Amino acid sequence: MRGGTVQINWHDLQPVLSLDFHPASRRLATAGADHDVKIWVISTDGSDSKLPTATFQSGLVPNGTAHSSAVNVLRFSPSGEYLASGADGGGIILWKLHSTEDGEAWKIHKTLLFHHKDVLDLQWSHDSVFLVSASVDNTCIIWDAIKGTVQQKLEGHLHYVQGVTWDPLGQYIASLSSDRTCKIYANKPQGKSKNAEKMNFVCQHTLVKVEYRNQDESKPPVKSHLFHDETLPSFFRRLAWSPDGSFLVLPAGLSKHASEVINTAYIMSKRDLSRPAIQLPGASKAIVAVRFCPVLFRPRGSNSDGFFKLPYRVVFAVATLNSLYVYDTESVPPILIHAGLHYAAITDIAWSSDAKYLAVSSRDGYCTIIEFENEELGQPHILPGSTEVAKGNRTCEKKPVHVDSMEVDVSSSKLKMEASPVAVGVTVPAPLSAENVTLRTGELAEGNVTCENKKPVEVDSMEVDVSDNKVKVATSPAAVEVTPPPVSTKNTASSKPTKKRITPIAIN
């Protein structure tokens, strides 16, 4: 592995606000505060001493007739035929790839004008037919990208919607707002339109707060918000679904233990989207973006934590305001940490389709490119009905894999936690009423792990060996405030949210 900040003029030294790799090549699209969208080709000369290079290919703004303000987000469609870009002022442009005598060109296909304020995030449906956008006008809009029309407007947030993501299986849309809530919308089709059921997303859950028992048992429980408020110094909270649709990762998390406040990200199991299943490590800065590697990898046989019960490894990147962490579902600690990459806040993350490159953009006007050697991340997992590209780690899937079943792994009564900067939980074996203990080893301060000795802690019949680590044990399982599906046809939050416990579960 090698990489670093590529010192070229990306967008006239103005902030680079978003970037994305084409799903079938190593073309990288970037967007910035200079109102422009640019296409680059990422390559390497094979020398161990040189960084990957970015070669300018084309600019997408023809004679200033496209975006007239900062471009906050851009995303290629899964088919690779379209590129969507969203900007200040509410404008969204769909670009279409055309073949020309000189090779190829991106031309304006549709202009989508319905948001009346800045567009901050975008996500395509897996079939490249629909698009969902998030805006400063507190709404999300589902668009028919082929017709250029509004399919549905999702309301309910009370402040800027700074992140939105579409389940690759098409069943859910999740949005994250600076009003400190995450909304999960489920598709409940109604009627038929041209022999097909009409899409209809309804708010199913609204994640708001978590409840901890007070250390002084005579006092009432303490409630704490799950997410940062609007003072978070970033316009982006880019959440993401795993490529198989089995779990969702939420950035901008805020976890309070006693008087200590920890920046975190929450992992949501698709089986129960009303509560977080796992809490990722804390960092010194807020987490602003999550992005999954599009390639699934074969297991390495090192899965000792037991939280992800998948037949393959999923790799994903998490960006704080100033650092980058890469995790896989088979290890508790991150497999890669890069700190102090930029002079200003990180804005976005992107993986190349073959898992060869990982790109990071920043408000300092530069991008960092990390290059992985072949099979450095592992051997690609070949799925039924898929084909493997001869070079690189890319596995081309014809359709997303449906992994829906989740269960708690209780095959072993003893779980050993090695020294690692993590926040996880242990669930008591079924069929008991699962009381859980949250374990947090030494806090990660941008790569530094501190450990203190402590005796093993026993939880009912499950023993947790923490002989060389500092462990803090929460006195009780936590409860998440969630809003049940609204009764009326409007997607409004219930005034009396229910409470459910955060019980870490295995993702299978």
Side-chain angles (χ1 to χ4, degrees), residues 137-163:
D137 63 14
N138 304 354
T139 68
C140 295
I141 292 179
I142 301 174
W143 306 86
D144 186 321
I146 306 301
K147 300 178 181 178
T149 58
V150 174
Q151 184 77 8
Q152 187 179 354
K153 188 175 182 180
L154 305 178
E155 299 177 296
H157 282 297
L158 303 177
H159 212 263
Y160 305 161
V161 187
Q162 298 179 316

Side-chain angles (χ1 to χ4, degrees), residues 403-425:
V403 179
D404 189 46
S405 60
M406 309 290 176
E407 64 183 15
V408 178
D409 180 26
V410 293
S411 58
S412 175
S413 62
K414 184 174 182 179
L415 176 64
K416 294 185 178 181
M417 302 299 297
E418 298 179 352
S420 56
V422 296
V424 296

Side-chain angles (χ1 to χ4, degrees), residues 102-409:
D102 299 330
E104 62 182 40
W106 292 89
K107 298 180 181 180
I108 295 179
H109 174 65
K110 298 282 185 181
T111 300
L112 309 179
L113 299 175
F114 199 85
H115 284 297
H116 57 273
K117 291 185 179 180
D118 307 352
V119 175
L120 300 181
D121 206 10
L122 295 167
Q123 181 68 56
W124 287 88
S125 62
H126 186 267
D127 58 7
S128 301
V129 174
F130 298 99
L131 181 76
V132 61
S133 57
S135 171
V136 171
D137 63 14
N138 304 354
T139 68
C140 295
I141 292 179
I142 301 174
W143 306 86
D144 186 321
I146 306 301
K147 300 178 181 178
T149 58
V150 174
Q151 184 77 8
Q152 187 179 354
K153 188 175 182 180
L154 305 178
E155 299 177 296
H157 282 297
L158 303 177
H159 212 263
Y160 305 161
V161 187
Q162 298 179 316
V164 66
T165 185
W166 202 315
D167 165 26
L169 301 176
Q171 300 172 354
Y172 299 97
I173 288 175
S175 60
L176 195 54
S177 168
S178 54
D179 67 3
R180 312 188 81 170
T181 67
C182 173
K183 291 186 178 291
I184 310 292
Y185 300 89
N187 188 16
K188 307 291 184 182
Q190 291 183 344
K192 289 189 176 182
S193 176
K194 294 183 179 180
N195 299 323
E197 291 184 330
K198 187 177 181 181
M199 181 185 300
N200 178 46
F201 281 89
V202 178
C203 184
Q204 190 174 59
H205 303 290
T206 299
L207 282 74
V208 185
K209 292 183 178 181
V210 64
E211 184 178 282
Y212 300 100
R213 181 178 297 174
N214 201 309
Q215 291 182 345
D216 185 351
E217 296 184 358
S218 62
K219 295 182 180 180
V222 178
K223 290 184 179 182
S224 174
H225 280 277
L226 284 167
F227 305 102
H228 279 274
D229 60 18
E230 69 278 3
T231 62
L232 176 69
S234 173
F235 272 107
F236 309 114
R237 305 183 187 214
R238 305 190 194 273
L239 63 167
W241 282 95
S242 61
D244 60 357
S246 62
F247 62 100
L248 168 70
V249 180
L250 307 176
L254 191 67
S255 177
K256 289 186 178 181
H257 294 269
S259 60
E260 188 178 12
V261 178
I262 301 172
N263 293 298
T264 188
Y266 299 105
I267 296 180
M268 310 284 294
S269 165
K270 186 178 180 181
R271 187 177 182 181
D272 185 359
L273 292 171
S274 67
R275 55 179 182 171
I278 303 173
Q279 180 180 314
L280 282 181
S284 63
K285 298 290 185 179
I287 296 173
V288 297
V290 179
R291 204 73 186 271
F292 280 86
C293 177
V295 181
L296 303 176
F297 298 96
R298 295 179 186 175
R300 284 174 169 163
S302 60
N303 189 0
S304 60
D305 59 270
F307 290 109
F308 292 91
K309 296 300 175 184
L310 299 171
Y312 39 75
R313 288 186 301 114
V314 181
V315 176
F316 60 98
V318 173
T320 71
L321 289 167
N322 66 349
S323 302
L324 179 71
Y325 303 82
V326 178
Y327 296 88
D328 76 358
T329 53
E330 209 173 60
S331 63
V332 174
I335 60 176
L336 170 66
I337 301 175
H338 272 290
L341 295 170
H342 293 275
Y343 291 108
I346 291 175
T347 56
D348 205 358
I349 320 170
W351 291 86
S352 64
S353 59
D354 57 0
K356 181 73 172 178
Y357 299 105
L358 174 60
V360 179
S361 59
S362 170
R363 295 190 65 86
D364 65 6
Y366 293 97
C367 298
T368 292
I369 308 294
I370 299 172
E371 179 186 6
F372 297 95
E373 297 178 2
N374 285 340
E375 298 188 355
E376 183 176 358
L377 293 173
Q379 294 183 347
H381 177 83
I382 309 302
L383 298 166
S386 64
T387 58
E388 183 180 14
V389 175
K391 296 182 180 180
N393 288 328
R394 173 65 174 165
T395 300
C396 298
E397 302 174 24
K398 293 182 178 180
K399 58 183 179 180
V401 185
H402 193 163
V403 179
D404 189 46
S405 60
M406 309 290 176
E407 64 183 15
V408 178
D409 180 26

Side-chain angles (χ1 to χ4, degrees), residues 20-43:
D20 196 33
F21 274 101
H22 189 271
S25 70
R26 292 175 180 172
R27 286 172 293 189
L28 177 68
T30 61
D34 63 347
H35 312 173
D36 201 356
V37 177
K38 295 181 178 180
I39 305 293
W40 310 80
V41 176
I42 308 300
S43 60

